[in-house]
Amino acid sequence: MRRRVGLLLICLGAFFLTLAPLVRFYVAEQVVRAPLNRYQVTHLESPNSTYFDQAALKTRENVTLLATNTVRGDVRANNGNDDIAVWDSTTNIYDKANPDNPVQIQGFRIAFDRRTAELVNCCGVHADGDGSVQMAGSYGLLFPIANVQKRDYPFYDPTTKQSAPMKFGAVEQVHGISAYRFTQHIPLTKTGAVDAELPGTMLGLEDDEPQRVDRYSEAYNTVWVDPRTGVPIKHRKNIRSTVRTPDGRGEMIVAQADLVTTEADQKKAVDLSDGTALQIDMVRIFIPGAAVLLGLLGLLIGGLMGLGRDESAAPPPPQAPRRSDGKFGDLSPPRPAKKPDGKADGKPGGKPDGKPDGEPAKRTAKKKAPPRPGGRPAAGRKPVRRT
C-alpha cells in the first residue's frame, strides 16, 4: 500500500510540473487580453474654465466645466475575430450650472489588438464620423496590456485626427499605485471649417462685418497608467479650442479647460486595475509557482515512500539456520562418513547393522508377555494354545 501511494504521488508531481508551463505560456496568453465587452463611465472636472455659450452668443468665464466619457465595447463589430476588440468612446463637455447646454461633444470608434492594444484599421473605425482616418500603428484608450515600459508611445488623438508621442515622464503615486506618468502635446492644429460666419466684433475686430472662421485645437494631455495592467487610472486634459479668421487677425475662444479625473473615479480605476493585476499574477506567477512546488513535493515524497519498506506486504520467508560449519541447512547430525573400503565407521561388513555382506538380516521377534497367574490370559488377547 505504501508503494502504491508513493507511485500515485509521483504521477501527481509529474502532472503538476507539466501543468506549470502550460498555464504560464498558454493559458496566460488567453487570459491576459483586453475584454471585448467594456462599459466604463469616467468624469472629469475643470474649475475656472471659459467657453462660448452659443445659445446666448456670449463668452462665459470662471465657470466649472464637466466632461463625461463613456466607453462601450461592441462585441459584434469584430466580424467574429476574437483577437480584435472594438470600443466606442463618447465625451460630452458641459457647464455644471447648465448641464442641458453642451459645450462640446466628441465621439470615435477604435479597433485594437487585444494582446498588444495596438490600433488597427477595421470594423468601421471613425473619428467624429470620419471613416477615412488611419489609426494603425498607434495606441488609443489603453497602453500595452501588462507590458508598459518607460518609453514613448504613439497615441492617436481623435480631435486632431493624428498621432503624437506620449512621452514617459516619471513614476508617481496615485492612490497607492506606483503609476507611470506620460505627457502628450498636441500642437495647434486646424480641425475644420465652421459653416456659419461670425461678426468681427466677436472675434476681436473693430469691423462688425461677418467673418469666415476655422476651428483650431491645442491640448496637453497627461495620463497616469498602472504598468502592471496598462489601464489608465487618471487623466488630465488641458484643452484650448478656438476659431480664427483665415488671415489670423480675429480669434475667439470656444472652450478652454483643464479637465482632471474626479477622485471617486480615480479610486474606481484603481480598484479595476488591482483586480486585473491579480488575475494577471494568478496565471503568470501564483498558479505556475504553486504547480511547480506541488510537483516537486509530490516527486520527493513519492520517491521516499516508494523506496521505503511496505509494512502491509507479506513478510519474507525466514532464513535457514546456519550450521556449525558456517553453511546454511538442516541442523540434524550428519550421517557417518564412509571409509575407502566401503565400511562404515565402527561396524564391520560395510552395513550399518554390522552384518556381513550377503547375510540377510533376521527379523526381531516380539517378546510375548508372560501369562498371568491363574492361567487367565491377558485382556484383549487370545489365549496361546500349548502343544
Side-chain angles (χ1 to χ4, degrees), residues 28 31-33 229 272-287:
V31 174
V32 185
R33 299 197 298 177
T229 61
L272 174 63
S273 186
D274 285 338
T276 305
L278 179 59
Q279 295 177 2
I280 294 174
D281 291 341
M282 286 292 291
V283 296
R284 284 189 172 181
I285 300 176
F286 298 146
I287 295 180

Side-chain angles (χ1 to χ4, degrees), residues 192 302 335:
R335 302 176 64 179

Side-chain angles (χ1 to χ4, degrees), residues 92 94-103:
N92 181 18
Y94 55 93
D95 187 353
K96 184 178 182 180
N98 188 12
D100 296 333
N101 186 17
V103 176

Side-chain angles (χ1 to χ4, degrees), residues 71 87 89 108-113 116-120 135 137-144 153-158 163 166 184 223 230 232 235 237:
V71 176
W87 290 1
S89 175
F108 63 93
R109 165 175 285 197
I110 61 172
F112 59 94
D113 190 301
T116 63
E118 292 186 8
L119 299 182
V120 295
M135 302 181 180
S138 58
Y139 295 87
L141 298 175
L142 295 176
F143 281 75
Y153 293 96
F155 259 74
Y156 185 80
D157 177 52
S163 294
M166 189 76 73
Q184 181 190 45
V223 181
H235 290 85
K237 297 180 178 293

